[in-house]
Amino acid sequence: MLIIRFLIAFALAIVLGKLVSKIKLPAILGWLLAGMILGPHALGLINQSLLNSVVYERIGHILECAVGLMIGTELVWKKIKSAGKQIMITTLTQSLGTFLFVSLVFVLTFYFMNIPLYLAFLFGGIALATAPAPALSIVREFKTDGPVTKTLIPMAALDDMVGVIVFFTTMTIVSSHISSQDIPIYMSVLVVILPLIIGAIVGIISGLIMNRVKSSQTRFIVLLISILFASFIGMIINYHMLPSPLLNFMLIGMAFSTAFSNIITSTALDELMKQFNPILGFSIVVVILNLGAPLDYHLIFQAGLFTAIYIIARALGKYFGAYFGASITHSPQTVKKYLGLTLLPHSGVSLVFTGIAASSLAGPAPECAKIIQGTIAAAAVINELIAVIIAKKGFEWAGEMPHSK
């Protein structure tokens, strides 16, 4: 029954995505809405039993790993070496800028409301992360190309790394002061380094094997086996070696594909990705569907002052942080003006971080746990619906849609 539920949900998501495309909006918006409508908070076709199913969760990790190939296959050294410095600096300014700005705004807000100020820094730590899948799905759907697209794709991977390090460092410091369940300091390093190591090792091995075979079909089989193997190693570490499951499987896929993409020839890589495209398309829809399913549409009507402050402060931090980084690195005007708009999608990462923060605060500071959970959950719903439309507009205004050139 769970498989039938999923297949029906997937089919409905595709249909809704096509309907949304008819009104010139990205299909991802339809997939997200399908997740919300069919999720446990609405019709319940994708119910909590399905989302909690071990098999479904493991398959989800494999598909997240597959989506990572969309990032890693663009990180070919020959392509990015000229822009590496600009991308690194802009990533740091937009992510750390968002962390500092959101934290400052909530420090001022909480100071006048007698709410513990450490909560402001947790809001900042959650706000800086960007969910790469929504923006990348727009890139894929509309075949965008140009300076903004070329900056965004490698930045999606780097942004996740910075986000994880800053959030877990902040969480560790806060936990050491208020919680009896301290998060070990090494966790902030492990959750970034481990996926990269797993992906890179498997990617190097598979790349060397691919170079030895002549048939494109055989290379494709090597690719599929390698994705499954990398995901399997990640799951063993995630569920049996870490204190709690925290590994980012999209990072595993990104590191894996970066490694083999820099070993095989560009012709072989192009052939491989053409063969992989149907699987990538399926994976993106499922990942976005899973992003939408936990979102409770009721929260739109319950959103309060903190939610509004959070959405606006985060958007300003992302936009002006990206603008500043692009300015000091002398990036093209379109990158300065529009990159920040493509960085607004947020929900998947924010909900993971929120769950970790709320569980750590539940014992020592239950009221703070409620504030952070309610605010971010409502923001995730509202922000994601708006952010997808704005991200698409960003590419359009930058002149990177095929029809806008």
Side-chain angles (χ1 to χ4, degrees), residues 132-377:
L136 293 177
S137 75
I138 295 171
V139 169
R140 176 184 164 80
E141 180 185 352
F142 294 97
K143 296 179 173 57
T144 66
D145 188 37
V148 174
T149 302
K150 286 181 170 63
T151 304
L152 174 71
I153 290 174
M155 185 177 285
L158 294 172
D159 191 79
D160 259 7
M161 292 184 225
V162 176
V164 167
I165 291 169
V166 173
F167 172 75
F168 278 102
T169 302
T170 306
M171 196 69 246
T172 301
I173 294 167
V174 170
S175 294
S176 67
H177 284 87
I178 65 158
S179 177
S180 57
Q181 298 178 334
D182 291 352
I183 295 177
I185 192 72
Y186 66 82
M187 286 298 292
S188 60
V189 178
L190 272 183
V191 293
V192 173
I193 298 297
L194 276 176
L196 299 180
I197 292 173
I198 294 165
I201 291 173
V202 177
I204 290 168
I205 294 168
S206 64
L208 294 172
I209 294 170
M210 287 177 194
N211 265 347
R212 287 181 170 273
V213 298
K214 295 181 179 178
S215 162
S216 62
Q217 290 298 326
T218 307
R219 278 195 292 268
F220 183 59
I221 292 168
V222 171
L223 174 65
L224 296 182
I225 292 170
S226 300
I227 290 171
L228 292 172
F229 185 60
S231 303
F232 181 67
I233 294 171
M235 286 179 219
I236 290 173
I237 293 172
N238 207 34
Y239 294 104
H240 300 290
M241 297 175 70
L242 293 179
S244 56
L246 296 168
L247 288 191
N248 185 320
F249 283 78
M250 207 176 288
L251 278 184
I252 294 177
M254 182 274 295
F256 159 70
S257 51
T258 300
F260 79 71
S261 296
N262 283 278
I263 294 174
I264 66 176
T265 65
S266 57
T267 304
L269 180 60
D270 289 342
E271 281 181 4
L272 202 57
M273 289 313 291
K274 279 179 187 174
Q275 292 171 298
F276 189 70
N277 259 336
I279 296 172
L280 180 59
F282 173 80
S283 301
I284 290 173
V285 176
V286 177
V287 168
I288 299 300
L289 196 59
N290 287 342
L291 280 182
L295 302 181
D296 185 354
Y297 72 94
H298 295 97
L299 294 169
I300 295 173
F301 309 108
Q302 298 169 17
L305 176 65
F306 293 162
T307 298
I309 292 172
Y310 178 84
I311 292 171
I312 294 167
R314 182 179 179 275
L316 291 173
K318 283 287 175 187
Y319 184 82
F320 288 106
Y323 190 97
F324 176 68
S327 297
I328 63 174
T329 57
H330 308 293
S331 297
Q333 281 295 320
T334 52
V335 175
K336 282 200 285 188
K337 289 181 180 178
Y338 305 116
L339 176 64
L341 301 180
T342 68
L343 296 170
L344 299 184
H346 182 45
S347 72
V349 189
S350 71
L351 293 175
V352 172
F353 285 177
T354 302
I356 294 166
S359 64
S360 296
L361 296 174
E367 287 306 313
C368 290
K370 285 179 184 175
I371 290 172
I372 203 165
Q373 208 160 21
T375 302
I376 307 296

Side-chain angles (χ1 to χ4, degrees), residues 9-28:
F10 179 80
L12 290 172
I14 294 292
V15 170
L16 195 52
K18 289 189 180 300
L19 289 174
V20 167
S21 296
K22 297 286 185 187
I23 55 172
K24 307 292 184 186
L25 291 173
I28 180 187

